């Protein structure tokens, strides 16, 4: 199969189409608009629906309606838009509707700016909306993964009947790389729970309302059991040179690409650096981090935020090892040299090879 | 003989989803209008034989439990969002009958934009709007349709125009739109009016079944509990004050017009697309099938980190993309990153390109191996970032000064002049690309020309660009 040179944002749409998604409801926002623009071109060609909604809220609710019919449906936005969608996301989690939401993160809070940040970690990983729900959150770091993880997002959404987030930043969205386009998904799962306007689904109900406290508690317990199962089965991560690493760098998305360069540079300078990249942010690769805490001297988290994921690393490490943090905010992307200098400030003696 | 008071088939025989002891009564208060409206809808579903294909959208409000009663596919939705959800349903299921049921708080306040926009798109759905001038479910607060002087728990002295504005006439508002085919306001005050309401509901649903477009039936209805009245007082107030402010009429009825929005949508949506067509649409199996060998001669610029910079309109981003594309076709790893965020300060357009035999980490080019400076600000800004023994390609047509450093390799290319000679100054970027390929020996000419072919569709431009590329290539070889 041939490769194509495309932007991450364009790869998302291709992944969605190859995954059998035929409904895209969007609203323009920089730096995610290319996803809607690409979908506007490609979805009608494959017999799908593209509709620009009246608002972010309208878009997520259209996805809610489409998902309720059993269709693979998606939307995409950027941070402030995602804030607006949280109500709908909470309803979808409560009603157990599979859907894919792409968040191309930008600077905040408020209007912030259009430059890349990773400050939606808490919003996506910790809930954001109301209620006892969790989402599956996948964090691609290349155009290839923008395609592949979008496909996987649809698969996981259907398997667990849950909204899945593809969490990227402006850089991963804007960057062009060769992408190997996978085969289209041949068969979509059947959904006997959906409401599709037939006699077979006439008794089905899509709802998140449980007036009786006992019933709602049981519904919540069921959701938690589902999240436990996801945690047991669906953690994804990648490691580079962790075997003999005394400092393990931890970062996701575009930062993990820079950290890969930091590891290469650091190794050249005789520093025992390794990289752990969470690919699924929720479920978080906490078990693996706990294992690595047995052998490594310290962890060093780098985020384009005020330090959000670092708390999950600290929870996983349980104070066995120091967990340092370096972050940039406002849209500035840290460079390889900048991070290397920060790492060297915290260098434990053992980390020199 | 048929029982007169028989329950419609489109209702559940027993309301088992409803908590409480009595599975035969509704959860609505005595004198509430919802039960009547429900019955009119269910009877219509029976008569039109659409029970199986009806999808009932329950709002937030007293009708949130619509699914207790309607024996059809049910979807309960967020506050105010029923028309947006209904849009998603109907677009997915053009053959279904979607009934979006909302109260006044839900539809006219929090969901104001959703109903307006669904109506304006002419969604082929039927909206049943039950207007009782109050928030019933939450305990009698003011609604957008609450009448002036009407006491509610949030307007204890009565609604005042000065503080809360005037009651909203939603049907009149929506009737100003082009798309809706049918808007009528009815009331369920007495048997005669109920018959009119029945007719309106049937027409609204019939329209949808015929694919005519957006239909909206506003039903004035009583809420004795919320209004703090006896059912008979409520009936009187409904027939008097309510109808006085919200006159009953057909506000829009596009007879004879048959826009058939579903028909148009169906034509483009849902058609079968084969696997090979899908692959073609997403771009697989296109010109990129061709592969090119990596040149064997090394020029010392292996795995280069390249910055291309100039001003907007010089085709900087395209230049970078062609490099990355050529690299891809030659089986290198490649990244292309446009100037973005704070990088955009200073008025230069630039992009970062990395070509490598190894998997690429950071796509950011700070420590630069190759700088292609198309204008003076670019050279001024990025000259210092080029590593020792790096390469700087200077567009000498626009940059009069020499490179200030002597620890780098500088090549002066009169890119804009050469492009001018070809009759198209805009191809200066291709001249520069040719010069780079000649200097770096990293990519074959063929791979770049194949990339050009993939990016530039019009033959005459393709030829022009090719000539420009050659001019640049030769200018360096000389």
């Amino acid at each position: 199969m041939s490769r194509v040179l495309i932007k991450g944002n364009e790869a998302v749409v291709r992944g969605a189409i190859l995954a059998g998604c035929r409904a895209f409801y969007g609203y323009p926002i920089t730096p995610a608009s290319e996803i809607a623009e690409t979908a506007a071109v490609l979805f009608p060609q494959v017999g799908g629906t593209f509709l620009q909604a009246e608002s972010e809220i309208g878009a997520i609710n259209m996805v809610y309606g489409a998902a309720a019919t059993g269709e693979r449906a998606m939307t995409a936005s950027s941070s402030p838009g995602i804030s607006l969608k949280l109500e709908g996301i909470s309803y979808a989690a409560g009603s157990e509707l599979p859907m894919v939401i792409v968040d191309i993160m930008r600077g905040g809070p408020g209007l912030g700016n259009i430059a890349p940040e990773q400050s939606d970690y808490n919003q996506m990983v910790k809930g954001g909306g109301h209620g006892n729900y969790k989402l599956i959150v996948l964090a691609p770091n290349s155009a290839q993964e923008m395609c592949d993880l979008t496909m996987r997002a649809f698969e996981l959404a259907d398997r667990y009947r849950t909204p899945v987030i593809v969490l990227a930043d402006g850089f991963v969205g804007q960057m062009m790389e060769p992408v190997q386009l996978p085969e289209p998904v041949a068969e979509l799962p059947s959904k006997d729970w959906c409401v599709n306007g037939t006699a077979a689904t006439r008794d089905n109900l899509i709802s998140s309302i449980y007036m009786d406290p006992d019933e709602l508690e049981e519904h919540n317990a069921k959701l938690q059991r589902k999240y436990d199962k996801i945690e047991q089965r669906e953690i994804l991560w990648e490691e580079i040179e962790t075997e003999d690493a005394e400092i393990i760098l931890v970062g996701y998305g575009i930062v993990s690409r820079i950290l890969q360069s930091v590891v290469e540079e650091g190794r050249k300078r005789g520093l025992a650096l390794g990289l752990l990249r969470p690919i699924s942010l929720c479920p978080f690769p906490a078990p693996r981090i706990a294992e690595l805490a047995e052998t490594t001297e310290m962890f060093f988290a780098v985020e384009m935020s005020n330090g959000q994921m670092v708390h999950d690393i600290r929870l996983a490490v349980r104070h066995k090892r120091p967990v340092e943090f370096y972050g940039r905010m406002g849209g500035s992307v840290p460079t390889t040299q900048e991070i290397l200098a920060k790492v060297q400030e915290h260098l434990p003696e053992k980390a020199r090879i | 003989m048929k029982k007169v008071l028989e329950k419609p088939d489109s209702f559940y025989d027993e309301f088992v989803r409803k908590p409480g002891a009595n599975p035969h009564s509704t959860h609505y208060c005595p004198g509430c209008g919802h039960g009547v409206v429900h019955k009119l809808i269910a009877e219509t579903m029976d008569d039109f034989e659409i029970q199986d294909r009806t999808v009932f959208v329950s709002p937030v409000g007293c009708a949130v439990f619509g699914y207790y009663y309607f024996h059809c596919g049910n979807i309960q939705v967020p506050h105010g969002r029923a028309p947006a959800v209904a849009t998603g349903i109907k677009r997915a299921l053009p053959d279904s009958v979607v009934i979006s049921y909302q109260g006044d708080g839900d539809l006219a306040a929090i969901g104001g934009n959703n109903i307006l926009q669904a109506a304006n798109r002419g969604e082929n759905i039927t909206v049943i709007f039950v207007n009782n001038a109050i928030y019933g479910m939450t305990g009698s607060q003011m609604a957008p349709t609450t009448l002036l002087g009407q006491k509610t728990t949030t307007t204890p002295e009565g609604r005042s125009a000065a503080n809360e504005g005037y009651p909203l006439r939603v049907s009149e508002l929506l009737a100003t739109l082009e798309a809706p085919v049918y808007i009528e306001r009815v009331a369920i005050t007495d048997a005669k009016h109920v018959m009119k309401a029945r007719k309106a509901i049937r027409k609204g649903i019939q329209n949808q079944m015929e694919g005519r477009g957006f239909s909206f039936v506003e039903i004035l209805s009583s809420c004795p509990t919320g209004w703090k009245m006896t059912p008979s007082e409520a009936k009187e107030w409904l027939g008097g004050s309510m109808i006085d402010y919200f006159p009953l009429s057909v506000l829009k009825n596009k007879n004879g017009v048959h826009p058939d929005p579903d028909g148009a949508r169906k034509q483009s949506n849902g058609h079968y697309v084969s696997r090979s067509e899908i692959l073609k649409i997403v771009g697989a199996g296109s010109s990129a099938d061709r592969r090119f060998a990596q040149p064997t001669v090394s020029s010392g610029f292996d795995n280069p980190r390249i910055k291309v910079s100039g001003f907007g309109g010089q085709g900087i981003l395209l230049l970078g993309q062609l490099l990355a594309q050529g690299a891809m076709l030659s089986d290198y790893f490649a990244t292309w990153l446009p100037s973005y965020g704070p990088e955009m300060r200073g008025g230069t357009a630039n992009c970062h390109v990395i070509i490598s035999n190894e998997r690429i980490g950071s796509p950011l080019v700070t420590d630069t191996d190759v700088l292609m400076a198309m204008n003076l600000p670019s050279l001024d800004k990025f000259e210092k970032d080029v590593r020792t023994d790096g390469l700087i390609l200077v567009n000498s047509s626009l940059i009069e000064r020499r490179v200030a450093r002597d620890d780098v390799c500088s090549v002066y290319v009169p890119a804009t002049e050469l492009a001018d000679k070809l009759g198209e100054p805009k191809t200066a970027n291709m001249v520069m690309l040719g010069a780079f390929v000649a200097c770096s020996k990293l990519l074959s000419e063929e791979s770049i020309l194949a990339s050009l072919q993939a990016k530039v569709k019009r033959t005459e431009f393709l030829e022009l660009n090719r000539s420009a590329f050659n001019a640049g290539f030769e200018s360096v070889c000389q």
Side-chain angles (χ1 to χ4, degrees):
Chain A
M1 287 281 289
S2 57
R3 297 187 297 168
V4 287
L5 183 75
I6 47 176
K7 285 185 177 184
N9 282 345
E10 297 165 333
V12 161
V13 178
R14 284 162 172 81
I17 287 171
L18 293 170
C21 172
R22 292 293 180 271
F24 188 106
Y25 295 97
Y27 187 82
I29 182 168
T30 309
S33 296
E34 279 139 349
I35 300 180
E37 288 165 357
T38 307
V41 174
L42 297 184
F43 268 62
Q45 291 183 37
V46 293
T49 298
F50 170 85
L51 183 63
Q52 181 171 327
E54 63 269 23
S55 64
E56 299 282 7
I57 295 167
I60 190 72
N61 281 284
M62 289 171 191
V63 173
Y64 184 98
T69 71
E71 194 176 33
R72 282 192 165 176
M74 74 179 298
T75 184
S77 187
S78 177
S79 312
I82 296 290
S83 299
L84 284 165
K85 289 186 195 295
L86 285 174
E87 175 203 42
I89 292 172
S90 166
Y91 272 73
S95 303
E96 298 191 85
L97 285 181
M99 57 177 68
V100 173
I101 300 132
V102 182
D103 179 5
I104 307 296
M105 291 181 280
R106 60 184 252 184
L111 203 50
N113 63 23
I114 60 168
E117 254 195 8
Q118 296 183 318
S119 46
D120 288 5
Y121 183 92
N122 286 345
Q123 173 168 255
M124 295 287 86
V125 171
K126 304 298 176 186
H130 62 285
N132 305 303
Y133 77 90
K134 285 184 187 175
L135 302 165
I136 295 176
V137 183
L138 305 177
N141 78 349
S142 65
Q144 183 70 55
E145 283 192 354
M146 289 288 264
C147 174
D148 295 350
L149 291 181
T150 300
M151 290 184 78
R152 190 179 179 88
F154 278 104
E155 189 189 321
L156 293 174
D158 280 345
R159 187 179 305 156
Y160 296 103
R161 282 191 62 182
T162 188
V164 179
I165 308 293
V166 175
L167 187 68
D169 53 79
F171 263 35
V172 175
Q174 294 292 326
M175 178 168 60
M176 269 188 169
E177 287 181 303
V179 174
Q180 181 95 50
L181 294 167
E183 275 291 309
V185 171
E187 206 174 324
L188 297 178
S190 66
K191 301 176 182 178
D192 55 8
W193 50 263
C194 77
V195 170
N196 63 10
T198 59
T201 64
R202 202 175 69 180
D203 285 307
N204 288 352
L205 166 65
I206 304 297
S207 171
S208 59
I209 186 169
Y210 296 86
M211 287 303 280
D212 180 72
D214 291 338
E215 271 182 45
L216 184 56
E217 186 166 47
E218 176 42 37
H219 175 62
N220 269 288
K222 183 185 146 204
L223 291 179
Q224 306 316 308
R225 289 193 293 275
K226 172 163 83 178
Y227 302 145
D228 288 347
K229 204 186 276 179
I230 291 169
E231 211 156 283
Q232 283 157 23
R233 295 179 183 171
E234 306 297 349
I235 299 179
L236 289 172
W237 76 93
E238 185 193 357
E239 290 177 37
I240 293 176
E241 309 235 32
T242 49
E243 257 172 45
D244 62 339
E246 297 297 349
I247 298 183
I248 292 185
L249 306 169
V250 188
Y252 69 94
I254 193 65
V255 169
S256 68
R257 293 288 293 266
I258 301 164
L259 292 182
Q260 185 195 324
S261 295
V262 173
V263 171
E264 286 162 14
E265 258 320 291
R267 290 262 165 186
K268 278 184 208 160
R269 298 187 197 180
L271 304 176
L273 303 184
L275 167 65
L276 183 134
R277 164 169 87 100
I279 297 173
S280 62
L281 298 176
C282 187
F284 192 69
R288 181 56 188 153
I289 289 174
E291 269 174 30
L292 288 168
E294 300 295 330
T295 56
T296 197
E297 279 296 306
M298 69 178 287
F299 291 86
F300 197 102
V302 181
E303 297 176 61
M304 281 160 26
S305 77
N306 61 344
Q308 302 189 8
M309 178 185 67
V310 67
H311 297 295
D312 284 331
I313 302 170
R314 287 187 176 132
L315 275 174
V317 172
R318 297 182 180 204
H319 300 290
K320 279 187 185 154
R321 304 287 178 186
V323 180
E324 298 295 340
F325 170 74
Y326 179 62
R328 292 295 303 269
M329 294 176 280
S332 288
V333 182
T335 64
T336 308
Q337 289 74 18
E338 178 183 347
I339 295 170
L340 201 53
K342 287 288 164 191
V343 171
Q344 279 174 309
E345 282 175 22
H346 295 279
L347 211 58
E349 206 33 57
K350 271 179 87 175
R352 291 188 192 281
I353 300 171
Chain B
M1 205 184 105
K2 204 179 171 209
K3 275 198 290 179
V4 176
L5 293 174
E6 199 175 9
K7 201 186 272 181
D9 288 338
S10 295
F11 277 149
Y12 280 104
D13 291 337
E14 293 196 344
F15 305 142
V16 291
R17 282 175 176 154
K18 187 174 78 79
N22 188 348
H24 297 285
S25 69
T26 71
H27 73 287
Y28 296 114
C29 306
C32 168
H34 278 300
V36 176
V37 179
H38 283 17
K39 189 154 181 281
L40 295 176
I41 294 171
E43 284 169 357
T44 307
M45 286 164 64
D46 280 7
D47 293 350
F48 290 175
E49 298 177 347
I50 54 170
Q51 185 185 359
D52 287 344
R53 61 183 177 117
T54 297
V55 180
F56 188 87
V57 183
S58 303
V60 169
C62 289
V64 66
F65 301 119
Y67 58 84
Y68 286 174
Y69 314 113
F70 289 100
H71 191 181
C72 61
N74 279 281
I75 300 178
Q76 198 288 313
V77 306
H79 199 23
R81 314 304 171 211
V85 177
T87 298
I89 299 166
K90 187 68 183 187
R91 299 275 180 137
L93 308 171
D95 294 325
S96 65
V97 175
V98 180
I99 299 172
S100 182
Y101 190 106
Q102 293 183 272
D104 41 67
D106 189 77
L107 181 141
I110 197 163
N113 191 33
N114 301 112
I115 188 65
L116 180 76
Q117 303 282 348
N120 194 45
R121 286 191 302 267
E123 295 296 338
N124 188 27
I125 58 174
T126 309
V127 175
I128 306 296
F129 171 42
V130 176
N131 177 3
N132 58 17
I134 204 147
Y135 281 75
M137 186 63 132
T138 44
S140 319
Q141 295 83 10
M142 184 194 71
T145 49
T146 291
L147 297 186
L148 288 179
Q150 186 183 339
K151 285 185 179 172
T152 71
T153 54
T154 50
T155 53
E157 301 301 320
R159 179 178 189 156
S160 92
N163 200 44
E164 288 94 18
Y166 293 88
L168 205 61
R169 293 188 184 100
V170 179
S171 289
E172 282 80 350
L173 204 71
L174 296 184
T176 64
L177 302 174
E178 202 58 49
V181 290
Y182 173 58
I183 297 172
E184 179 167 1
R185 183 185 288 120
V186 295
I188 44 170
T189 45
D190 51 32
K192 198 179 114 203
H193 281 93
V194 169
M195 285 314 284
K196 271 198 156 180
R198 178 175 179 271
K199 226 176 116 189
I201 288 169
R202 292 167 86 89
K203 186 170 173 55
I205 292 174
Q206 181 86 39
N207 281 343
Q208 182 181 175
M209 291 166 65
E210 289 171 4
R212 292 167 60 84
F214 185 85
S215 296
F216 185 87
V217 181
E218 175 175 350
I219 301 168
L220 302 183
S221 171
S222 55
C223 178
T225 307
W227 296 348
K228 310 231 176 333
M229 294 177 189
T230 64
S232 62
E233 286 167 348
K235 194 177 159 191
E236 200 172 309
W237 196 72
L238 175 65
S241 308
M242 281 283 279
I243 292 179
D244 282 351
Y245 189 84
F246 298 111
L248 306 183
S249 70
V250 177
L251 289 126
K252 189 153 193 181
N253 190 7
K254 284 192 187 174
N255 270 328
V257 182
H258 202 284
D260 192 16
D262 278 349
R265 278 164 203 158
K266 265 190 226 167
Q267 273 188 356
S268 64
N269 293 1
H271 63 269
Y272 175 75
V273 184
S274 70
R275 173 193 157 277
S276 59
E277 279 174 289
I278 289 171
L279 283 171
K280 203 174 150 200
I281 289 162
V282 297
S286 52
S287 64
D289 276 337
R290 297 176 66 187
R291 281 289 206 283
F292 300 90
Q294 297 178 4
T296 45
V297 189
S298 170
S299 62
F301 294 108
D302 301 338
N303 304 336
R305 306 171 68 78
I306 305 164
K307 190 166 275 174
V308 189
S309 185
F311 51 74
Q314 279 186 310
I316 300 299
L317 301 185
L318 176 65
L319 201 176
Q321 285 177 16
L322 289 172
L323 272 174
Q325 178 102 10
M328 178 182 79
L329 297 183
S330 311
D331 284 326
Y332 288 105
F333 291 92
T335 57
W336 172 92
L337 189 70
S339 52
Y340 175 65
E343 268 286 294
M344 283 157 69
R345 288 183 207 127
T348 60
N350 66 73
C351 62
H352 306 214
V353 179
I354 299 176
I355 299 173
S356 178
N357 276 308
E358 284 153 27
R359 191 180 146 193
I360 299 165
S362 172
L364 280 162
V365 176
T366 42
D367 200 7
T368 312
D369 295 311
V370 179
L371 171 64
M372 299 160 81
M374 291 295 287
N375 67 355
L376 183 61
S378 300
L379 184 64
D380 290 346
K381 192 174 173 189
F382 297 120
E383 182 180 346
K384 64 178 187 324
D385 299 334
V386 179
R387 69 162 167 87
T388 303
D389 297 328
L391 171 67
I392 302 182
L393 288 156
V394 180
N395 178 9
S396 57
S397 313
L398 298 184
I399 304 171
E400 284 179 10
R401 78 169 173 88
R402 311 290 287 182
V403 172
R405 293 170 55 178
D406 53 14
D407 64 338
V408 295
C409 173
S410 304
V411 177
Y412 297 89
V413 185
T416 308
E417 281 165 49
L418 288 173
D420 265 336
K421 274 189 201 157
L422 291 167
E424 183 45 84
K426 276 187 178 166
T427 58
N429 57 346
M430 295 300 133
V431 176
M432 195 54 116
L433 182 60
F436 170 75
V437 169
C439 288
S440 68
K441 301 183 179 62
L442 193 70
L443 301 166
S444 64
E445 288 171 68
E446 293 77 23
S447 70
I448 293 290
L449 293 176
S451 306
L452 203 54
Q453 221 159 5
K455 288 272 174 200
V456 183
K457 300 292 174 206
R458 283 175 63 177
T459 334
E460 64 265 37
F461 289 143
L462 187 63
E463 278 312 312
L464 198 58
N465 280 319
R466 213 177 263 180
S467 310
F469 175 88
N470 288 336
F473 191 91
E474 280 155 23
S475 77
V476 172
C477 291
Q478 277 161 10

